[in-house]
C-alpha cells in the first residue's frame, strides 16, 4: 500500500513548524528578517559553488521553515500605529467600531471592537468590549461606532492554576486589552454602516427569534441553534457534558459530516445544470459560493472553515480533472487557511478537526485491510468502525492534553448514533425551513421533540456509565509530542513494512518511558502549600509526593478549582481533610482566622496568617502579637475589609497577599 502522496506535504509541514517556532523564539521580527536575508544570501552562495550543491536541497526546504517563522512573527507584531504603541492620555476620546458579538451574559454583553482613533490620531488594533447591562443599554450591531473616554485595561490571566486562560485565548486573536462600558460612559452612533457581517448577524438574530417563537421544546430549539448555526452555547451544560463523556461531542460541531450532507444536497439540487454548456463549471461555482456564504453567515468556526475549504478544492479539482487526492486537497486547505488566518494554528477546534481528517485518510485504509467482511451490512459497519477508530486514535493524545479525559465508549456511541444522525440532521434542516416560512404542524413538533429526546437520552445513558470514562488524566507537552511521533512511526511501518522502522519506534518508546519516569520523580519531589481564590469560599491545600491534601469551605463551589488543579499536574490522589485554625507541617506553620475562631494560642509563632470569612479582629493587634512573614486574605472576605487589612500591613511593614488581585498563592516548603 502506497503512502498518500502530495508535493505540498514537506513544504506545508516545514511552514507549520516555522509558525510553531515563532511562538517559542522571542527574537523580534526585525532581527528575524535580517537573519532570513542572510540565509537567502548564503543559499545563493551555495548555488554558485558546485561542491556545496549537495546541501542546496536542504537549504531550499529550510526556506519554507523560515517563511513560516517570519509570516507568523509579522502577523503578531503590532504595527507602529497600533493603539498600544501610542501614549494614552486620561479623558482622551476613543472611536471604536464594533466588529462582532462575542456573547451575551447575565450582567454584560461582550464584543470585539476595532480601535479606529484616539484623539486626533488614527489607530489600528482590536479590543474586547464589555457592555454592562442597565435599563437603557441596547445591543450594538457590527459596524456601529462607539465613542468613549474610558481607559484601556489589560486583560487578566486566570487567578488559579489549571484554569482556562481567556487572556491567552484572546491574545491568539491579537486582543490584549479590554474596555468596560455602559450607557453613562459611552455614546453610540444612531446611524451605522450596514456591513455584510452586521447583515448576517441580523439574519441570524431573526432566525433565532423564529426558532424561539415556535412551539418546539427548549431542548429542540437549542439543538437547532447548535447544529445549524454552530451556537453550542445554546445547549445546556449538562447536554454538552453528556456528549463529551460519550465521545460524540464532534456531532455538536458543524464539521465535515454536516458540510458533506450540504454538498450532497446541492449536487442533487443543481444536477439539471449539467444539461447545459459549461453546466459543470456553473454547478461547481454555485456550490463553492453557497458553501462560503454559509461559512460567512455562521462566523467561520474552524471546523466549518476546514470542511468548506477542503470541499471547495475537491470540487475545483474534480471539475478541472486534476485528480481525486483527498489528502492533497486537505493539505492545500490547511495551508490556505493558515495563510488567511494564522490564529487557526493555535485553535483547539482547528487542530482537532484536521487531526481527525488526517487520521481517517492515513490510518483508515490500514485498518480496513485487517478484515474484509462479505456481508454488505457488516462491511458498512466495519467501515464506520475503522473510521471512528482512525479518527479517535489520532485525536486522543491532544484531546487528553487539553481536556484530560478519555471516553472509552466512543466506539459504541458512534456506531449507535452516526447511522441515524444524518437523517436527524436532514430533519433539522427541514424543520428549520418549515418554521421560517410557515407554522410548524403539531405532529412535526411532536416527532422532532421525540427524536431530540431520544437522541439526548441515548447519549446520556452512555455517558452515565462512569466506569468507562477515564478522567483527570495529565499529559505533558513532551509526552503528547512523543505519542504522536510513535504513532507516526507505526503508521509509516504500516505502509512501508520495513523492519528498520522499528529502530526509531523503539528509541521513541524508550524516550517516552524516560519522560514518564522523570515527570513522576518531579511530581513526588514537589512540596507546596496553596491558597486558591474563589468568591465567597475558601480552598487551601498541600501538595506533597503526588498527593494533594485539601480543605474546602464549600466543596460544591470549589470542585471546579480542584479539578482544574488536578488536571494541570501529575497527581495520584486528592484527599479532603478537616482543618480548624492551625495547620503545621514543620517548618511551615499557618494560623487560620475566621469570623468565630480564637487566636490566643500559647507557644505558637505562625509563619503565615490566613484571614477568611471576614474575621472580626483588630489586625494591628494581631500582627503585633503574631508578626508573620505574610498576611493572606482569600476570596471569602469582603473587599472593604481587605483594603483595611492591607493598610495595616503597610504601616507595620508586613507583606500582604490578596488573592482577589494576585490570584492563587503558592508557598514552597
Amino acid at each position: 500500500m502506497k503512502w498518500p502522496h502530495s508535493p505540498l506535504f514537506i513544504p506545508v509541514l516545514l511552514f507549520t513548524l516555522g509558525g510553531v517556532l515563532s511562538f517559542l523564539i522571542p527574537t523580534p521580527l526585525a532581527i528575524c528578517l535580517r537573519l532570513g536575508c542572510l540565509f537567502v544570501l548564503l543559499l545563493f552562495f551555495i548555488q554558485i559553488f558546485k561542491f556545496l550543491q549537495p546541501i542546496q536541497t536542504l537549504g531550499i526546504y529550510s526556506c519554507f521553515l523560515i517563511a513560516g517563522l517570519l509570516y507568523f512573527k509579522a502577523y503578531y507584531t503590532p504595527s507602529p500605529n497600533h493603539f498600544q504603541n501610542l501614549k494614552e492620555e486620561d479623558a482622551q476620546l476613543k472611536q471604536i467600531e464594533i466588529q462582532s458579538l462575542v456573547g451575551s451574559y447575565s450582567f454584560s454583553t461582550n464584543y470585539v471592537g476595532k480601535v479606529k482613533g484616539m484623539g486626533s490620531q488614527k489607530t489600528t488594533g482590536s479590543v474586547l468590549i464589555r457592555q454592562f447591562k442597565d435599563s437603557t443599554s441596547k445591543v450594538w450591531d457590527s459596524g456601529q461606532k462607539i465613542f468613549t473616554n474610558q481607559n484601556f485595561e489589560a486583560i487578566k490571566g486566570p487567578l488559579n492554576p489549571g484554569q482556562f486562560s481567556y487572556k491567552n485565548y484572546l491574545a491568539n486573536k491579537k486582543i490584549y486589552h479590554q474596555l468596560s462600558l455602559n450607557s453613562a460612559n459611552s455614546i453610540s452612533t444612531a446611524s451605522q454602516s450596514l456591513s455584510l457581517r452586521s447583515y448576517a448577524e441580523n439574519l441570524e438574530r431573526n432566525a433565532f427569534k423564529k426558532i424561539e417563537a415556535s412551539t418546539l421544546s427548549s431542548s429542540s430549539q437549542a439543538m437547532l441553534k447548535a447544529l445549524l448555526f454552530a451556537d453550542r452555547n445554546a445547549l445546556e451544560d449538562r447536554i454538552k457534558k453528556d456528549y463529551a463523556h460519550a465521545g460524540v461531542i464532534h456531532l455538536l460541531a458543524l464539521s465535515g459530516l454536516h458540510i458533506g450532507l450540504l454538498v450532497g444536497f446541492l449536487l442533487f439540487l443543481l444536477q439539471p445544470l449539467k444539461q447545459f454548456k459549461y453546466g459543470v463549471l456553473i454547478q461547481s461555482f454555485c456550490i463553492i459560493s453557497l458553501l462560503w456564504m454559509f461559512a460567512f453567515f455562521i462566523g467561520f468556526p474552524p471546523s466549518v472553515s476546514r470542511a468548506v475549504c477542503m470541499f471547495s478544492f475537491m470540487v475545483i479539482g474534480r471539475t478541472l480533472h486534476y485528480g481525486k487526492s483527498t489528502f492533497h486537497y486537505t493539505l492545500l486547505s490547511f495551508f490556505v487557511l493558515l495563510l488567511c488566518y494564522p490564529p487557526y494554528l493555535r485553535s483547539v477546534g482547528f487542530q482537532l478537526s484536521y487531526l481527525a481528517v488526517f487520521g481517517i485518510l492515513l490510518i483508515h485504509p490500514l485498518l480496513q485491510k485487517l478484515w474484509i467482511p462479505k456481508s454488505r451490512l457488516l462491511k458498512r459497519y466495519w467501515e464506520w468502525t475503522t473510521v471512528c477508530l482512525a479518527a479517535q486514535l489520532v485525536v486522543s493524545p491532544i484531546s487528553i492534553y487539553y481536556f484530560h479525559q478519555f471516553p472509552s465508549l466512543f466506539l459504541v456511541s458512534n456506531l449507535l448514533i452516526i447511522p441515524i444522525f444524518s437523517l436527524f440532521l436532514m430533519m433539522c434542516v427541514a424543520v428549520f425551513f418549515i418554521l421560517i416560512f410557515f407554522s410548524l404542524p403539531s405532529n412535526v413538533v411532536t416527532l422532532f421533540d421525540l427524536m431530540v429526546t431520544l437522541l439526548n437520552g441515548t447519549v446520556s445513558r452512555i455517558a452515565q456509565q462512569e466506569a468507562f470514562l477515564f478522567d483527570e488524566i495529565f499529559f505533558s507537552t513532551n509526552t503528547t509530542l512523543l505519542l504522536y511521533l510513535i504513532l507516526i512511526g507505526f503508521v509509516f511501518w504500516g505502509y512501508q513494512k520495513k523492519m528498520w522502522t522499528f529502530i526509531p519506534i523503539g528509541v521513541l518508546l524508550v524516550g517516552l518511558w524516560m519522560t514518564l519516569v522523570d515527570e513522576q520523580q518531579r511530581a513526588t519531589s514537589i512540596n507546596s502549600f496553596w491558597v486558591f481564590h474563589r468568591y465567597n469560599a475558601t480552598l487551601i491545600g498541600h501538595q506533597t509526593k503526588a498527593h494533594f491534601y485539601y480543605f474546602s469551605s464549600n466543596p460544591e463551589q470549589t470542585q471546579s478549582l480542584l479539578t482544574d488543579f488536578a488536571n494541570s499536574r501529575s497527581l495520584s490522589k486528592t484527599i479532603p481533610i478537616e482543618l480548624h485554625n492551625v495547620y503545621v507541617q514543620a517548618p511551615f506553620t499557618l494560623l487560620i482566622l475566621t469570623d468565630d475562631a480564637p487566636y490566643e494560642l500559647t507557644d505558637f509563632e505562625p509563619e503565615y496568617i490566613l484571614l477568611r470569612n471576614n474575621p472580626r479582629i483588630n489586625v494591628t493587634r494581631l500582627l503585633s502579637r503574631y508578626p508573620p512573614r505574610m498576611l493572606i486574605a482569600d476570596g471569602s472576605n469582603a473587599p472593604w475589609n481587605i483594603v483595611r487589612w492591607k493598610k495595616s500591613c503597610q504601616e507595620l511593614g508586613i507583606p500582604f497577599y490578596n488573592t482577589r488581585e494576585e490570584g492563587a498563592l503558592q508557598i514552597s516548603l
Side-chain angles (χ1 to χ4, degrees):
M1 184 180 295
K2 293 183 178 180
W3 179 279
H5 175 70
S6 171
L8 291 175
F9 179 70
I10 294 179
V12 171
L13 176 63
L14 292 173
F15 183 86
T16 306
L17 288 176
V20 174
L21 288 175
S22 70
F23 302 115
L24 303 177
I25 299 175
T27 309
L29 174 64
I31 297 177
C32 289
L33 280 172
R34 294 191 189 101
L35 294 176
C37 291
L38 287 175
F39 183 83
V40 172
L41 290 175
L42 179 63
L43 189 62
F44 179 76
F45 180 77
I46 291 174
Q47 298 288 336
I48 297 175
F49 295 93
K50 293 184 178 180
F51 67 91
L52 294 175
Q53 287 183 357
I55 62 172
Q56 66 179 259
T57 302
L58 179 62
I60 292 172
Y61 277 128
S62 299
C63 288
F64 292 104
L65 183 74
I66 295 172
L69 188 147
L70 293 176
Y71 188 78
F72 278 81
K73 280 283 186 184
Y75 181 83
Y76 282 101
T77 300
S79 62
N81 61 335
H82 192 283
F83 70 87
Q84 72 181 34
N85 292 331
L86 303 176
K87 184 178 180 181
E88 183 180 6
E89 300 175 0
D90 293 338
Q92 188 177 40
L93 185 66
K94 302 170 183 66
Q95 178 187 338
I96 302 165
E97 181 180 306
I98 300 297
Q99 288 184 306
S100 61
L101 173 69
V102 176
S104 182
Y105 309 98
S106 301
F107 301 102
S108 68
T109 305
N110 292 358
Y111 310 85
V112 172
K114 186 175 182 180
V115 183
K116 306 288 286 187
M118 289 174 55
S120 60
Q121 295 176 304
K122 292 184 178 181
T123 61
T124 61
S126 297
V127 64
L128 176 69
I129 300 174
R130 301 177 64 199
Q131 179 198 23
F132 288 97
K133 297 179 180 178
D134 54 37
S135 57
T136 60
S137 63
K138 295 182 180 180
V139 176
W140 294 326
D141 295 316
S142 295
Q144 194 164 353
K145 301 293 191 303
I146 310 297
F147 296 91
T148 182
N149 290 328
Q150 287 293 106
N151 290 332
F152 297 110
E153 306 169 15
I155 298 174
K156 294 183 178 180
L159 292 175
N160 295 289
Q163 281 186 315
F164 171 73
S165 178
Y166 194 50
K167 177 181 179 180
N168 292 341
Y169 171 78
L170 291 176
N172 186 44
K173 299 184 176 185
K174 299 200 299 184
I175 301 174
Y176 310 99
H177 297 81
Q178 66 180 7
L179 280 173
S180 299
L181 304 180
N182 53 41
S183 56
N185 61 20
S186 63
I187 300 174
S188 58
T189 55
S191 60
Q192 65 179 81
S193 57
L194 189 62
S195 63
L196 289 175
R197 183 70 253 162
S198 62
Y199 182 70
E201 289 177 358
N202 288 332
L203 287 178
E204 185 179 50
R205 278 198 290 268
N206 291 332
F208 280 11
K209 289 178 182 178
K210 286 278 189 179
I211 293 173
E212 291 162 1
S214 69
T215 56
L216 292 168
S217 66
S218 58
S219 297
S220 298
Q221 292 178 10
M223 192 63 74
L224 284 177
K225 293 178 182 178
L227 295 182
L228 301 182
F229 296 91
D231 183 18
R232 282 203 291 185
N233 292 328
L235 295 167
E236 297 179 16
D237 290 339
R238 175 184 58 83
I239 298 294
K240 291 185 284 188
K241 188 176 180 180
D242 285 344
Y243 274 78
H245 288 179
V248 288
I249 189 66
H250 59 91
L251 295 180
L252 298 180
L254 286 174
S255 58
L257 174 63
H258 307 72
I259 302 302
L261 289 173
L262 178 59
V263 170
F265 175 74
L266 292 175
L267 284 171
F268 173 77
L269 192 65
L270 301 175
Q271 188 71 18
L273 290 175
K274 289 187 176 181
Q275 306 300 321
F276 301 96
K277 187 178 181 180
Y278 305 115
V280 175
L281 290 175
I282 297 172
Q283 182 193 51
S284 300
F285 176 79
C286 291
I287 290 174
I288 293 171
S289 300
L290 290 171
L291 286 178
W292 283 107
M293 286 173 62
F294 174 70
F296 173 80
F297 178 67
I298 62 175
F300 294 108
S303 57
V304 173
S305 300
R306 186 268 309 164
V308 168
C309 190
M310 188 179 70
F311 275 107
S312 298
F313 281 119
M314 290 178 64
V315 170
I316 293 172
R318 296 187 182 194
T319 302
L320 301 178
H321 306 290
Y322 282 160
K324 301 179 180 180
S325 175
T326 306
F327 182 75
H328 177 72
Y329 294 130
T330 303
L331 275 175
L332 185 58
S333 66
F334 176 86
F335 182 59
V336 168
L337 289 175
L338 279 189
L339 286 177
C340 295
Y341 191 59
Y344 275 146
L345 183 61
R346 293 192 290 181
S347 167
V348 178
F350 186 81
Q351 294 170 8
L352 292 173
S353 180
Y354 266 101
L355 283 172
V357 173
F358 283 125
I360 293 171
L361 294 177
L362 294 174
I363 300 178
H364 168 62
L366 297 176
L367 297 177
Q368 278 284 94
K369 292 181 63 179
L370 298 177
W371 182 43
I372 304 178
K374 296 181 180 180
S375 168
R376 181 176 297 180
L377 181 61
L378 281 177
K379 188 175 182 180
R380 187 63 174 167
Y381 259 93
W382 176 240
E383 184 177 355
W384 285 336
T385 301
T386 53
V387 167
C388 292
L389 286 173
Q392 191 69 38
L393 192 61
V394 176
V395 166
S396 288
I398 198 169
S399 180
I400 293 173
Y401 176 77
Y402 284 123
F403 306 112
H404 312 286
Q405 64 179 21
F406 177 74
S408 61
L409 292 179
F410 72 92
L411 190 58
V412 175
S413 306
N414 282 277
L415 292 179
L416 281 176
I417 296 171
I418 286 182
I420 64 171
F421 191 77
S422 298
L423 295 175
F424 175 73
L425 196 58
M426 287 189 283
M427 187 172 183
C428 288
V429 175
V431 167
F432 174 71
F433 277 107
I434 292 174
L435 68 85
I436 287 295
F437 299 106
F438 312 100
S439 60
L440 281 174
S442 58
N443 56 343
V444 174
V445 172
T446 303
L447 177 61
F448 189 72
D449 285 345
L450 180 63
M451 289 189 67
V452 171
T453 302
L454 181 62
L455 178 64
N456 290 342
T458 303
V459 172
S460 178
R461 182 65 61 87
I462 296 172
Q464 288 172 5
Q465 310 306 312
E466 296 182 357
F468 296 94
L469 175 67
F470 302 97
D471 56 2
E472 295 188 2
I473 308 172
F474 171 73
F475 273 7
S476 67
T477 303
N478 292 337
T479 299
T480 306
L481 291 176
L482 285 169
L483 285 172
Y484 275 113
L485 290 175
I486 292 169
L487 180 61
I488 291 171
F490 276 110
V491 172
F492 187 76
W493 173 81
Y495 280 96
Q496 299 296 322
K497 292 291 191 282
K498 304 291 185 181
M499 292 303 297
W500 64 265
T501 56
F502 280 106
I503 297 175
I505 292 174
V507 173
L508 289 170
L509 287 171
V510 172
L512 177 62
W513 175 76
M514 293 176 65
T515 299
L516 294 174
V517 170
D518 179 66
E519 290 175 356
Q520 186 63 30
Q521 289 177 346
R522 289 173 180 267
T524 56
S525 65
I526 293 176
N527 188 17
S528 297
F529 187 85
W530 287 87
V531 179
F532 298 85
H533 176 77
R534 171 64 80 187
Y535 176 72
N536 275 351
T538 293
L539 176 64
I540 58 177
H542 185 192
Q543 181 183 357
T544 176
K545 295 184 179 179
H547 292 177
F548 188 65
Y549 303 88
Y550 69 93
F551 165 78
S552 173
S553 63
N554 190 332
E556 183 177 350
Q557 193 175 354
T558 59
Q559 182 57 47
S560 61
L561 294 186
L562 185 63
T563 301
D564 291 338
F565 181 80
N567 288 339
S568 65
R569 61 208 62 235
S570 181
L571 290 178
S572 58
K573 287 183 180 180
T574 55
I575 306 166
I577 59 175
E578 290 292 333
L579 278 184
H580 297 287
N581 63 328
V582 170
Y583 184 75
V584 178
Q585 288 289 327
F588 175 76
T589 54
L590 174 71
L591 175 63
I592 306 171
L593 297 183
T594 63
D595 54 352
D596 57 356
Y599 66 89
E600 291 295 336
L601 303 174
T602 58
D603 299 327
F604 185 66
E605 298 294 336
E607 279 191 297
Y608 297 87
I609 298 178
L610 170 65
L611 304 180
R612 72 177 192 88
N613 204 21
N614 301 299
R616 300 174 183 176
I617 58 173
N618 187 314
V619 171
T620 303
R621 186 184 306 164
L622 169 70
L623 298 179
S624 300
R625 172 68 180 85
Y626 300 110
R629 291 177 58 183
M630 180 182 291
L631 183 68
I632 308 163
D634 68 3
S636 65
N637 300 291
W640 50 87
N641 280 333
I642 293 175
V643 172
R644 182 164 51 86
W645 298 335
K646 183 177 181 179
K647 183 178 179 181
S648 298
C649 285
Q650 289 174 343
E651 292 174 352
L652 296 173
I654 293 176
F656 180 76
Y657 194 95
N658 176 16
T659 62
R660 284 179 181 269
E661 296 179 354
E662 302 175 76
L665 170 65
Q666 180 185 12
I667 303 173
S668 298
L669 308 182

